[in-house]
Amino acid sequence: MRGRMRTFMVKVGGSLLTLPDLSGRLKTMLGNITADRVMLLVGGGPSADLVRSWDGIHGLDTEASHWLAIDSMSLTARLLAQLLPDAQLVSSYVEAHDASILTTTMILDPRPVIEETAERATTPLPSGWDCTSDTIAGWLANQWKVASLVLAKSIEMPVGDVLSTQQEKGVDPVFRSVISNSVPVYWCNLRTNPDEITLWEPTTI
């Protein structure tokens, strides 16, 4: 990836949390991103699946299950902070862009970041199980006007329009509605090739 980018948002798939060498793979990928700041948002993985299971058992309110799933991402954010001790765990936009913090890598604590951003958002964050951490990362990337979004996944980058739905293509159905074609989206199959970051969805604005 060429050129100096001011800020990148990187969504780390929750399925990657099972990789014993995740920290090394992430460091390899991050070494291929040229940016002033990189904001990592990690998916809920098995902890979000637990919330989904509770919802199936107890029939939780949509808003309640939405925020419980986001809380599960705060748990995985703290796990990632243990795996990347040089990164800074942050809970606000101001903290994430604090020039006095010397590290270039931030890990976002989702709940406080989302609540803060929602207060001034131009579009609301959708709720429900169609809104996964992909959409949350896309929504934050759009609201924060970052240079680019990288989706770090366990699967190969989808190509073409052969598959009919975004869920089948590796992202949830509402992802494009929040990204609004305003942020270029890159793809990295971190499980097989952390060195390769490929443009997937170029901006049209």
Side-chain angles (χ1 to χ4, degrees):
M1 305 179 72
R2 299 176 181 176
R4 186 163 181 79
M5 307 296 182
R6 192 167 124 186
T7 304
F8 268 54
M9 183 82 65
V10 176
K11 181 322 190 65
V12 180
S15 62
L16 297 167
L17 295 171
T18 59
L19 292 172
D21 59 345
L22 177 58
S23 61
R25 289 171 183 267
L26 284 172
K27 289 173 184 176
T28 296
M29 180 191 67
L30 293 173
N32 288 288
I33 295 176
T34 304
D36 297 315
R37 283 281 162 98
V38 178
M39 313 293 180
L40 300 176
L41 181 79
V42 60
S47 58
D49 291 339
L50 179 59
V51 175
R52 191 188 295 265
S53 175
W54 288 340
D55 186 22
I57 293 168
H58 302 292
L60 300 173
D61 174 83
T62 299
E63 195 71 10
S65 60
H66 172 74
W67 284 106
L68 282 171
I70 288 172
D71 285 338
S72 78
M73 293 168 59
S74 288
L75 174 64
T76 56
R78 282 161 173 76
L79 170 61
L80 197 63
Q82 294 298 310
L83 300 179
L84 298 174
D86 292 334
Q88 178 80 26
L89 183 67
V90 299
S91 58
S92 71
Y93 178 90
V94 171
E95 189 178 4
H97 293 82
D98 185 350
S100 69
I101 298 176
L102 298 181
T103 182
T104 60
T105 305
M106 307 291 168
I107 300 170
L108 302 181
D109 187 354
R111 181 154 192 152
V113 164
I114 291 168
E115 289 177 332
E116 174 200 53
T117 304
E119 293 179 358
R120 54 180 176 79
T122 54
T123 57
L125 175 67
S127 60
W129 289 112
D130 281 346
C131 174
T132 68
S133 52
D134 289 332
T135 284
I136 292 172
W139 179 76
L140 284 171
N142 193 11
Q143 297 301 317
W144 285 21
K145 310 223 179 285
V146 302
S148 296
L149 170 65
V150 178
L151 299 177
K153 293 280 197 173
S154 290
I155 58 176
E156 290 298 323
M157 181 180 73
V159 178
D161 295 321
V162 176
L163 302 175
S164 60
T165 69
Q166 289 310 303
Q167 188 66 49
E168 290 170 322
K169 287 187 173 183
V171 295
D172 65 60
V174 294
F175 174 77
R176 275 203 180 93
S177 69
V178 299
I179 207 77
S180 302
N181 295 319
S182 62
V183 179
V185 181
Y186 290 81
W187 193 285
C188 177
N189 185 341
L190 199 74
R191 190 172 288 272
T192 62
N193 193 357
D195 272 312
E196 185 175 333
I197 303 172
T198 306
L199 181 63
W200 182 48
E201 295 280 345
T203 180
T204 58
I205 297 177

